């Protein structure tokens, strides 16, 4: 069961798509519509494939590549 998932904060994302390129299991896809700030925000399409999605809250993370590479610190975690 998925207990946590990544989220993209549209307030900070500038649509560079680095997260789309770097995720090894293709959780993100390029977006198609503009955010309120005029950026095309990626869409989380396969949240259940995320290597960190199945961990228990508090368990050590396995990947988090997207969180580290986002230049605008727009990616974080939320509980489902
Ligand atoms: S890497 Fe960050 S700023 Fe770039 S598209 Fe992904 S969430 Fe947005
Ligand atoms: S933590 Fe890793 S597997 Fe999960 S969405 Fe980010 S890059 Fe993909």
């Amino acid at each position: 069961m998925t207990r946590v998932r990544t989220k993209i904060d549209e307030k900070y994302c500038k649509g560079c798509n680095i997260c789309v390129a770097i995720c090894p299991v293709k959780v993100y896809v390029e977006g198609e519509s503009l955010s309120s700030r005029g950026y095309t925000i990626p869409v989380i399409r396969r949240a259940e494939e995320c290597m960190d999605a199945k961990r228990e809250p508090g368990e050590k993370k396995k990947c988090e590549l997207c969180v580290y590479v986002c230049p605008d610190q727009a990616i974080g975690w939320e509980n489902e």
Side-chain angles (χ1 to χ4, degrees):
M1 180 171 63
T2 301
R3 293 191 170 83
V4 295
R5 54 174 280 163
T6 56
K7 64 172 182 178
I8 295 176
D9 190 332
E10 291 196 11
K11 288 197 306 289
Y12 302 113
C13 175
K14 295 199 183 100
C16 67
N17 287 317
I18 293 174
C19 55
V20 175
I22 204 160
C23 177
V25 291
K26 305 296 177 202
V27 165
Y28 307 100
V29 295
E30 289 188 23
E32 293 177 353
S33 56
L34 294 179
S35 70
S36 58
R37 298 174 65 212
Y39 297 113
T40 307
I41 309 297
V43 176
I44 298 175
R45 263 296 148 69
R46 295 171 10 119
E48 71 282 358
E49 296 298 322
C50 172
M51 288 188 267
D52 284 319
K54 297 175 184 71
R55 66 185 163 83
E56 301 280 347
E59 188 182 342
K60 191 167 184 268
K61 298 183 183 94
K62 299 177 175 114
C63 177
E64 257 202 333
L65 268 177
C66 56
V67 175
Y68 288 122
V69 301
C70 175
D72 295 292
Q73 297 169 347
I75 301 180
W77 297 96
E78 65 183 354
N79 290 326
E80 286 201 330

